[in-house]
């Protein structure tokens, strides 16, 4: 299938709307392990992105759209999550540079570049109880699916399943990074909010692609 620039914009809208619906839940998760503002922070970032997207149309390049989304998120969000998602969308945008129509491979490579950006910037490893615990297995599932010849929707479905399982698995992990690492053993038993919002971002993108595939 092909995704146009207009489709790419709508996929990002889909993410912003999902985060808005789930912001209270995400903040509730964060209250158990952090300062309770993850949902609000993500909402502020994604609502700023949504407003910025109004400046782009169907003729805009997807790389340009992605990079604008990243910088907008960074400028709107002061917390540590800002640079991580800014890097993700800048790296992903570089893959899409000059393209107004995206192939399955373009989108798979976009997400792989985005996740590698998060890994490079954040220095977290799987098992540290961060968003990486959702993003890393998702990326690996996407790579495996594409190597096996699966189409985009199937690759994304595999990635979303891996992200959800990764996010749920953080509940049993001891936090190694960020504010929650100060809790020590008390961080065990609580699902990581960053991993949870990562799953939601990818799932929202997938749901939009699936709706196009019919």
């Amino acid at each position: 299938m092909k995704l146009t620039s207009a489709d790419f914009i709508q996929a990002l809208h889909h993410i912003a709307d999902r985060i808005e619906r789930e912001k209270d839940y995400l903040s509730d998760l964060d209250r158990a392990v952090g300062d309770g503002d993850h949902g609000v922070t993500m909402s502020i970032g994604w609502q700023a992105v949504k407003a910025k997207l109004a400046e782009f149309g169907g003729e805009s390049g997807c790389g340009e759209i992605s990079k604008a989304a990243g910088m907008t998120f960074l400028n709107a969000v002061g917390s540590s999550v800002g640079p991580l998602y800014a890097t993700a969308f800048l790296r992903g945008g570089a893959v899409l540079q000059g393209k107004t129509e995206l192939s399955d491979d373009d989108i798979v490579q976009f997400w792989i570049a985005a996740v590698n950006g998060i890994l490079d910037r954040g220095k977290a490893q799987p098992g540290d109880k961060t968003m990486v615990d959702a993003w890393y297995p998702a990326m690996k599932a996407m790579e495996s699916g594409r190597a096996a010849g699966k189409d985009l929707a199937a690759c994304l479905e595999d990635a979303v399943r891996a992200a959800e399982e990764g996010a749920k698995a953080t509940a049993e992990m001891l936090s190694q990074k960020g504010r929650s690492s100060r809790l020590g053993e008390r961080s065990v038993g609580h699902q990581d909010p960053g991993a949870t919002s990562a799953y939601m971002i990818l799932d929202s993108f997938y749901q939009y692609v699936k709706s196009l595939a019919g």
Side-chain angles (χ1 to χ4, degrees), residues 52-213:
K52 182 70 177 177
L53 292 172
E55 298 175 16
F56 295 92
E59 301 305 309
S60 304
C62 293
E64 185 187 359
I65 293 164
S66 183
K67 289 179 180 182
M71 293 312 297
T72 300
F73 194 93
L74 179 64
N75 291 333
V77 173
S79 74
S80 58
V81 77
L84 293 173
Y85 279 117
T87 304
F89 280 98
L90 289 172
R91 292 278 190 92
V95 172
L96 308 182
Q97 199 58 37
K99 297 181 178 181
T100 56
E101 193 173 79
L102 306 178
S103 67
D104 287 12
D105 271 332
D106 288 332
I107 295 161
V108 168
Q109 292 306 317
F110 164 80
W111 282 112
I112 289 171
V115 174
N116 278 321
I118 289 170
L119 293 171
D120 290 347
R121 187 65 189 255
K123 308 299 183 195
Q125 302 294 321
D128 284 347
K129 196 178 179 112
T130 70
M131 65 167 75
V132 167
D133 290 300
W135 282 124
Y136 184 78
M139 176 180 72
K140 289 299 175 187
M142 213 176 301
E143 286 178 332
S144 298
R146 198 67 189 132
K150 293 185 177 181
D151 66 15
L152 177 63
C155 289
L156 285 170
E157 184 178 13
D158 289 350
V160 166
R161 193 179 301 116
E164 184 175 24
E165 289 172 2
K168 287 178 176 175
T170 61
E172 302 312 314
M173 293 175 187
L174 186 70
S175 181
Q176 306 291 337
K177 291 274 183 183
R179 194 179 294 262
S180 61
S181 63
R182 300 175 200 166
L183 294 174
E185 294 290 345
R186 285 182 294 150
S187 66
V188 177
H190 301 287
Q191 188 168 314
D192 182 69
T196 307
S197 60
Y199 152 70
M200 290 174 180
I201 287 169
L202 193 58
D203 184 52
S204 303
F205 191 92
Y206 163 60
Q207 296 298 336
Y208 182 74
V209 169
K210 192 167 73 164
S211 74
L212 291 179

